Amino acid sequence: MSYNPYSYPAHAANERFARDPYVPPQSAGTQASQSVPEVQGMQGAQRYPDPGSSMAYQLGQTAFTNFIGQQNFSQFQEVSKATTSSLSHYFQVTTDYVLRKLKLILLPFYSKNTWQRLPGSQLQGPGSISFLPPKDDINSPDLYIPIMGLVTYILIWNVQRGLEGSFNPENLYYKLSSTLAFVVLDLVILKLGLYLLVNTSSPTASFTELVCYVGYKFIPLTLVLLFPSKPWALSLIIKIYLFIAFGVFLLRSVKFNLFNASNDDMGSVKKSTVKKCNYFLFVYGFLWQSILMWLMG
């Protein structure tokens, strides 16, 4: 009788059954022999990935690369780097710049500023005119104050609703969406008006810098919310002053930087174009901004 080392003796199974009655006789060997391949199969599945999924991933990656193209992908990376560097220009601010900018927005009548931006040594992007960053030039627009002004305005408006006992979490979404809709409308009107009247390649007429100028309106809007509504006459006078002050700031900031900084460029522009632009900025800066901020605030 030959001896099989892998066989499990029946009498050993019966003895185990005698010790543990919950294990059926002559089943332990079968159970042990079946558990080994299962464990080995699980280890093999973890060690070797599914070839079907790997092949699908490689095919998808190849198709995406062929669809975009290596040259287009390189151009996309260059444009992304240029956009990031140009946007970072508008966030180079300091505490001193923020305080001076707020004073310029709220007290434009008492400013002895020339309102013209200073030229710089580094370009913001391809084909753009070089100007100093905001931390080095008070006339340079920035995105820090408009973004912080928007956040502060939304929070203060909702805090007031809470103090009045009518706070609702949905008000955050409602006020933010309605405010952004007003900003987009304001931006479209300003961009379209400058494009039709001036049609110049000035950096002040670029989309990013127009967003900066339009976003400065949240400074007077926030102060209007913080100021008490009583006495009514004094509150109305302060609101009118803030709206007029912002109109003066917007008119001077855009007007003195709308055309290129050199005198040759100013001389090449027709006087009729400059006159129409002044009329448009006057109506936009005073009449339209007062109506818009009254509706928003």
Side-chain angles (χ1 to χ4, degrees):
M1 182 176 180
S2 60
Y3 173 73
N4 187 2
Y6 297 99
S7 64
Y8 197 89
H11 62 87
N14 294 330
E15 292 178 359
R16 184 180 179 184
F17 174 72
R19 293 192 303 268
D20 190 1
Y22 294 99
V23 180
Q26 298 182 0
S27 62
T30 307
Q31 199 172 21
S33 62
Q34 291 179 353
S35 62
V36 175
E38 292 178 358
V39 175
Q40 293 179 353
M42 293 175 60
Q43 293 178 355
Q46 295 178 358
R47 186 178 302 175
Y48 302 102
D50 187 10
S53 61
S54 302
M55 184 178 298
Y57 174 77
Q58 293 178 358
L59 290 176
Q61 186 178 10
T62 304
F64 182 75
T65 305
N66 293 333
F67 177 76
I68 295 181
Q70 186 67 26
Q71 183 176 3
N72 295 332
F73 183 74
S74 301
Q75 294 177 356
F76 175 77
Q77 286 182 330
E78 293 178 359
V79 172
S80 300
K81 292 180 180 179
T83 305
T84 304
S85 61
S86 61
L87 289 179
S88 63
H89 172 87
Y90 299 100
F91 288 95
Q92 299 181 19
V93 299
T94 58
T95 304
D96 181 67
Y97 165 80
V98 173
L99 295 177
R100 291 172 58 195
K101 195 74 170 185
L102 294 178
K103 180 180 177 181
L104 187 63
I105 296 173
L106 300 176
L107 302 172
F109 307 100
Y110 306 100
S111 176
K112 299 180 181 180
N113 189 21
T114 58
W115 299 95
Q116 290 184 352
R117 300 171 62 178
L118 301 177
S121 58
Q122 294 182 355
L123 296 177
Q124 301 178 15
S128 63
I129 301 177
S130 173
F131 288 104
L132 290 178
K135 63 180 182 179
D136 299 326
D137 184 13
I138 188 61
N139 295 318
S140 179
D142 68 284
L143 286 173
Y144 175 79
I145 295 178
I147 293 177
M148 297 302 296
L150 173 62
V151 175
T152 306
Y153 172 72
I154 298 298
L155 293 178
I156 291 179
W157 187 88
N158 284 275
V159 168
Q160 289 186 346
R161 300 290 82 77
L163 295 177
E164 295 174 359
S166 59
F167 175 76
N168 190 348
E170 295 181 357
N171 290 337
L172 289 170
Y173 172 76
Y174 165 74
K175 188 60 178 178
L176 179 60
S177 59
S178 60
T179 302
L180 292 179
F182 279 120
V183 170
V184 171
L185 177 62
D186 189 16
L187 184 62
V188 169
I189 292 176
L190 180 58
K191 180 66 176 178
L192 183 62
L194 294 179
Y195 177 77
L196 295 177
L197 293 176
V198 182
N199 194 16
T200 180
S201 59
S202 173
T204 309
S206 64
F207 179 81
T208 305
E209 299 207 348
L210 291 183
V211 170
C212 299
Y213 290 118
V214 167
Y216 286 133
K217 67 166 55 66
F218 293 109
I219 303 304
L221 283 175
T222 304
L223 293 179
V224 166
L225 292 179
L226 293 175
F227 195 82
S229 58
K230 294 180 181 181
W232 183 82
L234 180 61
S235 176
L236 181 61
I237 292 175
I238 292 178
K239 290 179 181 179
I240 293 176
Y241 169 79
L242 290 175
F243 293 165
I244 293 177
F246 177 73
V248 172
F249 165 78
L250 189 63
L251 175 64
R252 293 181 178 179
S253 298
V254 178
K255 176 184 176 181
F256 286 94
N257 296 284
L258 181 60
F259 306 100
N260 293 335
S262 61
N263 295 328
D264 297 336
D265 295 329
M266 289 294 296
S268 62
V269 180
K270 297 182 180 180
K271 293 183 179 180
S272 60
T273 303
V274 178
K275 190 175 182 180
K276 291 179 181 179
C277 181
N278 291 334
Y279 287 150
F280 168 75
L281 291 177
F282 179 83
V283 174
Y284 172 82
F286 291 95
L287 182 60
W288 168 245
Q289 288 300 315
S290 299
I291 295 176
L292 181 63
M293 288 191 292
W294 189 273
L295 294 175
M296 295 175 61

